[in-house]
Amino acid sequence: MTEIVDFDEALTRYEPVLGFEVHVELNTKTKMFSSAPNEFGDDPNTNVNEVDLGLPGVLPVVNKAGVEYAILLGLALNCNIAEYCRFARKNYFYPDTPKNFQTSQYDEPIAYDGYLDIELDSGKVYRVEIERAHMEEDAGKLTHVGGSSGRIQGASSSLVDYNRAGVPLVEIVTRPITGAGADAPELARKYVEAIRDIVKALDISDARMERGNVRCDANVSLMPIGSEKFGIRSETKNVNSLRSVERAVRYEISRHAGILDAGETVVQETRHWHEDTRTTSSGRPKSDADDYRYFPEPDLVPIVTTADQVAELRERLPELPAAKRSRLKAAWGFSDEEFRDIVNAGLIDTIEETEKAGADASAARKWWMGEISRIANEADKDVTEVGITPAHVVEIEKLIGEKKINNKIARQVLTHVADGEGTPGEIVEKRGLAVVSDDGALTEAVEQAMADNPDVVEKIKAGNQKVIGALMGPIMKATRGQADPGRVREIILEKIN
């Protein structure tokens, strides 16, 4: 068995060469070439018709919205848009492709010659050149049963669901990426993340990687440092999480280095990623274009675009994620680290919504990155799925500003909001959580704390007001954390004087 070389050691002898094929499922109402619904999660084989099943005598029809979505994506990727392009038949046998060919694009993609600038956490920027973005259809889905791993190895039978067959896809293919070195795994993750964020901003895909809406085929090869000849590549197929993309690239670099160090030859093949073991395993020998016997699809007319149509679609482009991040970073004034944490947490849109709803950006960051994230982690949910909204955060800030609650009470209130007990205002009233500002109750608590801590009182009398905090603890305990700290301080000093 080939030894897996340490990642850092591998980089002392080899330069990684990367390439990515990212498949994006489009969220059109119907499929790319049929009128069947494009819906996720329905019963197997219910969203199919004659075209999807490849029955004799049927003819496909191109989904106009799918073409427009592909053009929008091409524009967002800084691509040229083809004035004329065609579909092609990609011939291969898979049991989840009932036609025995995939309708795709080969030498005439809808978009070509684009790029994305990818910024890493360190601030480094890499330009990833995009060769093409072409339209095609997805395959169905196989479920292997009877085995322990869920894979075909060891399974006793396989079930096929054609609901996904014919779902519109755009495949984005990069040119070879060199020069990333130790940054290669992070660059892989950041690139796929950028694609995901762009298609979400365009609202052309649900972009749920766990559902396969965005999938990455990661190509890795190594060449000796100083060489200009690319090595033989492997292609890790259908990686569907950002973390897995990064780990798969790192592992393949180490695996390739072990093979080359042993004087062996890397096999050009597809590989499968296993998140549980963080390793890849062999799939099938990688086919080249000639093996697919591409030829123009005779049942579909060419796609012709005009300058006016492209200009109209360009006007529909929203503010793209990179531009939005740049604008908000400047407007909010957070440090590089603070802003990076927000981006990595996926909370930039939520904090912006909270600010638009009326809260200060710093306050929004404090609550979403702090207490609400803690609640989400404990519930093992995404921070946006715990039932707390930007409006709730605005209401919390208002209650604090009106001195009806303090920060400690606010944290309690947010927990109750997440439990579905109502709005912050309703919870404060129902649970009696309002700050105690009644002088009678506060004076009683202050006098008891002073009587219990005469040494602290003497220090305050001597001019050391910093130790007032030592009295705050018992006072807060006596008032269940609901005392108004400012008024408590005033009463303590009044008593001392």
Side-chain angles (χ1 to χ4, degrees):
M1 182 176 180
T2 303
E3 180 182 353
I4 303 299
V5 175
D6 176 77
F7 177 76
D8 293 327
E9 183 184 343
L11 295 176
T12 65
R13 297 188 291 278
Y14 304 103
E15 179 182 350
V17 180
L18 307 178
F20 304 107
E21 299 160 19
V22 177
H23 299 77
V24 177
E25 284 187 344
L26 305 178
N27 58 6
T28 54
K29 292 181 179 179
T30 57
K31 294 185 179 179
M32 192 65 201
F33 303 111
S34 83
S35 60
N38 177 16
E39 295 288 345
F40 177 86
D42 288 351
D43 290 338
N45 298 309
T46 55
N47 296 335
V48 294
N49 65 15
E50 298 86 349
V51 175
D52 306 310
L53 296 176
L55 298 183
V58 298
L59 289 173
V61 177
V62 174
N63 187 323
K64 179 183 177 182
V67 175
E68 291 180 346
Y69 285 6
I71 293 173
L72 283 170
L73 181 51
L75 293 172
L77 298 176
N78 303 295
C79 289
N80 296 314
I81 304 302
E83 296 179 6
Y84 174 99
C85 64
R86 292 184 297 178
F87 286 98
R89 289 190 181 184
K90 182 180 181 182
N91 294 275
Y92 60 93
F93 171 74
Y94 279 133
D96 51 4
T97 305
K99 299 183 297 185
N100 283 342
F101 65 86
Q102 180 189 38
T103 305
S104 181
Q105 290 187 306
Y106 173 46
D107 55 345
E108 299 181 49
I110 186 71
Y112 60 94
D113 290 347
Y115 68 88
L116 273 183
D117 289 329
I118 306 299
E119 183 176 358
L120 306 188
D121 288 343
S122 64
K124 288 184 186 178
V125 176
Y126 290 91
R127 173 159 291 189
V128 175
E129 294 187 351
I130 294 168
E131 179 181 292
R132 54 193 280 138
H134 63 262
M135 297 178 288
E136 60 185 24
E137 60 181 339
D138 212 342
K141 182 178 181 181
L142 290 175
T143 301
H144 306 294
V145 296
S148 59
S149 66
R151 297 188 176 275
I152 193 169
Q153 294 85 357
S156 59
S157 60
S158 297
L159 306 176
V160 62
D161 178 8
Y162 288 130
N163 279 352
R164 198 174 65 184
V167 167
L169 282 179
V170 173
E171 180 177 346
I172 305 157
V173 182
T174 69
R175 291 192 170 92
I177 304 163
T178 59
D183 292 330
E186 183 187 356
L187 176 58
R189 172 172 58 85
K190 289 287 189 178
Y191 171 73
V192 178
E193 182 178 29
I195 297 292
R196 183 200 63 180
D197 291 347
I198 285 171
V199 299
K200 284 175 65 177
L202 295 174
D203 195 25
I204 62 173
S205 173
D206 295 338
R208 298 279 295 274
M209 293 191 72
E210 73 278 8
R211 291 183 176 180
N213 299 142
V214 177
R215 311 189 293 271
C216 176
D217 297 344
N219 293 270
V220 173
S221 67
L222 297 183
M223 57 184 182
I225 290 177
S227 173
E228 295 182 357
K229 183 180 179 181
F230 292 165
I232 297 174
R233 63 189 170 92
S234 63
E235 180 181 3
T236 306
K237 297 286 289 184
N238 293 327
V239 188
N240 65 352
S241 82
L242 299 176
R243 179 177 60 185
S244 295
V245 169
E246 182 171 13
R247 289 174 174 172
V249 167
R250 177 180 288 270
Y251 176 81
E252 281 296 285
I253 289 172
S254 294
R255 187 183 69 86
H256 280 225
I259 295 171
L260 297 175
D261 282 354
E264 300 172 0
T265 301
V266 175
V267 176
Q268 182 171 322
E269 63 181 350
T270 64
R271 296 186 67 84
H272 302 295
W273 171 249
H274 307 282
E275 181 61 36
D276 53 348
T277 60
R278 300 185 186 179
T279 61
T280 63
S281 63
S282 181
R284 60 179 173 85
K286 177 59 181 172
S287 302
D288 290 317
D290 292 344
D291 299 313
Y292 292 124
R293 295 178 290 113
Y294 283 99
F295 64 86
E297 168 58 71
D299 293 335
L300 290 170
V301 298
I303 303 295
V304 178
T305 60
T306 67
D308 288 344
Q309 289 171 327
V310 173
E312 182 181 342
L313 289 169
R314 193 183 296 275
E315 287 295 317
R316 286 170 50 182
L317 288 175
E319 182 181 32
L320 295 175
K324 182 175 186 176
R325 287 194 296 269
S326 179
R327 172 178 61 82
L328 290 177
K329 186 175 185 297
W332 291 345
F334 297 149
S335 69
D336 290 346
E337 183 178 359
E338 289 171 338
F339 194 79
R340 185 170 62 246
D341 288 345
I342 291 170
V343 172
N344 290 341
L347 285 171
I348 190 168
D349 291 337
T350 304
I351 291 176
E352 184 186 31
E353 290 173 19
T354 307
E355 183 186 36
K356 288 179 178 179
D360 177 80
S362 295
R365 172 186 166 274
K366 176 187 73 175
W367 291 115
W368 286 106
M369 293 294 294
E371 187 63 19
I372 303 174
S373 289
R374 182 195 65 78
I375 292 170
N377 288 337
E378 288 186 354
D380 194 25
K381 293 181 178 179
D382 186 85
V383 72
T384 59
E385 297 175 344
V386 294
I388 300 172
T389 67
H392 290 144
V393 175
V394 171
E395 190 174 353
I396 284 286
E397 279 294 296
K398 181 180 179 183
L399 291 169
I400 292 173
E402 294 172 348
K403 297 186 176 181
K404 292 182 178 178
I405 61 174
N406 54 35
N407 281 320
K408 181 178 180 180
I409 296 172
R411 290 192 289 272
Q412 297 178 44
V413 171
L414 284 171
T415 300
H416 298 314
V417 172
D419 289 338
E421 293 188 18
T423 66
E426 292 169 346
I427 291 166
V428 168
E429 182 176 353
K430 181 169 55 179
R431 285 182 167 265
L433 294 176
V435 163
V436 176
S437 55
D438 172 62
D439 277 5
L442 293 182
T443 299
E444 182 179 343
V446 167
E447 289 175 344
Q448 185 62 52
M450 292 175 69
D452 293 341
N453 298 275
D455 55 330
V456 176
V457 173
E458 290 304 317
K459 290 178 182 179
I460 299 172
K461 287 181 178 180
N464 186 4
Q465 294 191 8
K466 292 182 179 179
V467 299
I468 288 178
L471 297 179
M472 283 290 186
I475 293 170
M476 285 296 179
K477 183 176 181 180
T479 59
R480 296 186 303 160
Q482 294 173 235
D484 180 349
R487 183 57 187 142
V488 167
R489 182 181 178 86
E490 291 174 358
I491 293 174
I492 290 173
L493 293 176
E494 288 172 3
K495 292 290 181 182
I496 294 296
N497 293 331

